[in-house]
Amino acid sequence: MIKNNLQTILLGVITLLVVFLYFLSAQPLVKLQKNYQNIFINPIKEEKKALTYLNELRQGAGLIPFNSNDILKRASRHHVNYLIKNHTYGHYEDQNRSGFTGKFASDRVRKEGYNTSLVIENVSSNNRNYKESIDGLFAAIYHRFAFLDFQGDEIGIAIQQNQRYPTQTSYVYTIGSSMLNLLYKKNTNPSKKILNEALDHHKALSNKMITYPFDQQRDVPPVFFNELPDPLPNYDVSGFPVTISFNQAFFKNIKLLKFKLFKKESEIGLNSIVYDYKTDPNRRLNRFSFALLPLERLEWNQEYQVKFLAVVDRDFIEKEWSFKTRNPKIPLHKIEDEYQTINIRVNEANLFYFPPKTAKDLLHNVRYDSDFKMEFFDQNTVKLTALKHSFLVKELEIGSHHLKLNIQN
């Protein structure tokens, strides 16, 4: 959820991208059993890896990297501890609950000594590791644009795990601008001109346009599930969104003409919805950002091509780029004939992908078998390892789907 809290100090400036933003967790609303109860994470190492990975994605897209900021990190740490202690998630804190340090991120950073309340916060919950957290937030368009902010240049990342219930984890990312922090240290009531100059400083250091996935990106997740607010309220599962943003330091007006996604070497565009600031159902996009949401999951290990055309400040800008979805790197079986028997080997991990039959087809109520180690790879894909040989064909019920396995030594 995006929330404005600019108060009077912004002198009516409401077109800023770095504003008081709040985003609800982009993690799926459906909770699934995951077999990683005994996996404990090292928060310090995870935080370092998260910053490195996030900066790889930002720089790949054409943005400057984030620097770690101790004040933002302390504010994030307080919030992540609050979330774990109270077994909750999201952005807000209740002053009547243990560990309260501020209702909003703006309150928490100001309490720690940051000079401006103009920060962005991203939060995710119950992820196995930093990469799952960041990938999940990038799959959700509103959360993605927070990470791909043109004006921010510093961040505080805090990660925590409940030691008693290891599946409960929290990831908090608080994004700020060193230029704004310095400005408000010197001047608590800057003019509109001075404020915009500070905001424009880091924009000029980034590319004029950024896309995500970016050109030649690999290991892109193929799927989007849910986000709050939800850009596709009638879909519980769809394809990984594609977005493009224009740098406001260089452009003033953009009129979209074409935005399409294709499988490589195909001339048929995928069935998609395209949003701009007028058509976005949640009114979260600005005039410089566009999102394409495929209505069906993308394929694993498949290359895709994007074609974009717009009139930008009276000039035509045409852009084409490509990306490739994730290769799981272990045997993957796409289950289209659920009564076909599949051969697997003992102690060899296999993925079984059940293409969703409807926009709400997610895996629920998996019937576990003690002869298997099983976990969810995503909400349409399970990872199975047979623990012993069987002379009989094993039949498993995977939600509403059926799976027949011949287990060989």
Side-chain angles (χ1 to χ4, degrees):
M1 181 184 296
I2 300 179
K3 186 176 180 69
N4 297 322
N5 188 26
L6 301 187
Q7 303 175 347
T8 59
I9 60 174
L10 294 188
L11 304 177
V13 181
I14 61 173
T15 58
L16 308 179
L17 181 57
V18 175
V19 293
F20 178 23
L21 297 177
Y22 288 98
F23 297 85
L24 291 179
S25 172
Q27 296 311 301
L29 301 180
V30 179
K31 295 188 180 297
L32 300 174
Q33 178 70 29
K34 297 181 180 180
N35 296 336
Y36 62 98
Q37 287 88 341
N38 296 321
I39 298 177
F40 289 89
I41 62 176
N42 183 319
I44 295 176
K45 290 183 178 179
E46 282 285 293
E47 289 161 6
K48 291 180 178 178
K49 291 178 180 178
L51 179 59
T52 298
Y53 182 53
L54 181 54
N55 279 337
E56 286 176 358
L57 299 183
R58 274 181 61 88
Q59 290 178 288
L63 293 166
I64 61 173
F66 287 135
N67 293 314
S68 182
N69 178 278
D70 290 340
I71 296 176
L72 298 177
K73 191 175 185 70
R74 288 199 301 270
S76 295
R77 174 66 58 203
H78 288 314
H79 188 49
V80 83
N81 289 339
Y82 170 91
L83 296 176
I84 292 295
K85 183 175 292 188
N86 291 285
H87 304 281
T88 189
Y89 60 92
H91 302 272
Y92 310 110
E93 293 187 9
D94 183 342
Q95 62 181 351
N96 297 315
R97 303 184 75 172
S98 177
F100 173 82
T101 56
K103 184 175 182 180
F104 304 120
S106 61
D107 303 317
R108 297 189 285 271
V109 298
R110 293 286 285 154
K111 185 175 181 179
E112 289 302 313
Y114 208 62
N115 296 304
T116 175
S117 61
L118 302 181
V119 295
I120 297 173
E121 183 183 77
N122 256 354
V123 177
S124 72
S125 301
N126 302 334
N127 302 116
R128 286 173 284 193
N129 53 57
Y130 71 92
K131 191 170 184 180
E132 185 177 279
S133 168
I134 292 173
D135 283 348
L137 290 165
F138 265 98
I141 58 172
Y142 307 129
H143 296 67
R144 176 189 299 182
F145 284 126
F147 277 151
L148 298 180
D149 172 48
F150 278 104
Q151 296 154 157
D153 71 318
E154 53 190 12
I155 193 170
I157 301 175
I159 298 169
Q160 191 57 272
Q161 180 180 36
N162 189 318
Q163 296 302 297
R164 187 175 179 182
Y165 306 103
T167 56
Q168 185 198 0
T169 60
S170 291
Y171 293 70
V172 176
Y173 310 85
T174 308
I175 302 165
S177 164
S178 61
M179 294 300 295
L180 285 180
N181 189 39
L182 179 62
L183 172 63
Y184 279 95
K185 182 178 181 180
K186 297 178 179 179
N187 183 354
T188 59
N189 191 26
S191 68
K192 179 178 178 180
K193 179 181 178 182
I194 293 175
L195 181 59
N196 283 331
E197 287 175 353
L199 290 168
D200 286 343
H201 177 81
H202 291 119
K203 294 180 190 176
L205 302 178
S206 294
N207 286 2
K208 294 182 178 181
M209 294 180 291
I210 60 169
T211 66
Y212 201 90
F214 50 81
D215 189 29
Q216 298 301 309
Q217 185 172 352
R218 296 294 182 262
D219 197 41
V220 175
V223 64
F224 163 62
F225 292 109
N226 285 308
E227 179 177 16
L228 292 175
D230 197 341
L232 290 176
N234 296 322
Y235 289 76
D236 288 340
V237 55
S238 56
F240 193 82
V242 180
T243 56
I244 185 168
S245 297
F246 289 79
N247 192 331
Q248 297 177 48
F250 301 98
F251 304 109
K252 294 183 179 179
N253 296 291
I254 298 97
K255 181 179 180 181
L256 176 66
L257 299 178
K258 180 174 71 174
F259 196 3
K260 292 186 177 295
L261 178 66
F262 306 81
K263 281 187 178 181
K264 186 180 180 181
E265 298 179 355
S266 172
E267 295 182 358
I268 301 175
L270 301 186
N271 188 20
S272 307
I273 290 179
V274 175
Y275 289 149
D276 60 15
Y277 76 103
K278 291 182 179 179
T279 57
D280 171 18
N282 300 297
R283 298 297 188 266
R284 298 298 192 253
L285 300 184
N286 62 30
R287 295 188 300 110
F288 298 87
S289 299
F290 304 87
L292 180 150
L293 293 90
L295 297 182
E296 296 180 0
R297 278 187 65 130
L298 306 186
E299 297 290 337
W300 293 103
N301 196 30
Q302 172 69 49
E303 190 156 356
Y304 291 88
Q305 186 174 19
V306 188
K307 295 183 179 181
F308 179 89
L309 177 65
V311 178
V312 182
D313 294 339
R314 298 184 179 181
D315 291 326
F316 286 96
I317 288 186
E318 186 173 14
K319 187 172 180 62
E320 295 187 12
W321 70 97
S322 63
F323 63 90
K324 192 172 186 179
T325 54
R326 179 163 295 160
N327 179 359
K329 298 181 180 178
I330 61 175
L332 172 69
H333 308 273
K334 183 178 179 180
I335 309 301
E336 295 178 298
D337 178 0
E338 297 189 7
Y339 291 91
Q340 176 186 359
T341 300
I342 298 173
N343 297 324
I344 64 172
R345 294 190 176 278
V346 173
N347 295 321
E348 180 181 80
N350 286 258
L351 291 180
F352 297 90
Y353 166 51
F354 299 87
K357 298 175 182 178
T358 70
K360 295 184 177 294
D361 185 6
L362 304 178
L363 297 180
H364 301 281
N365 303 319
V366 175
R367 186 177 300 171
Y368 287 88
D369 187 310
S370 60
D371 292 343
F372 294 89
K373 178 181 178 182
M374 179 185 297
E375 63 182 285
F376 285 91
F377 199 72
D378 67 31
Q379 291 187 90
N380 300 116
T381 312
V382 293
K383 182 179 179 181
L384 283 176
T385 304
L387 301 179
K388 61 182 182 181
H389 170 259
S390 174
F391 290 102
L392 300 176
V393 172
K394 284 281 188 177
E395 298 190 21
L396 302 177
E397 297 299 323
I398 310 293
S400 61
H401 300 273
H402 190 77
L403 182 63
K404 297 178 69 174
L405 299 174
N406 180 28
I407 305 170
Q408 304 171 340
N409 284 321

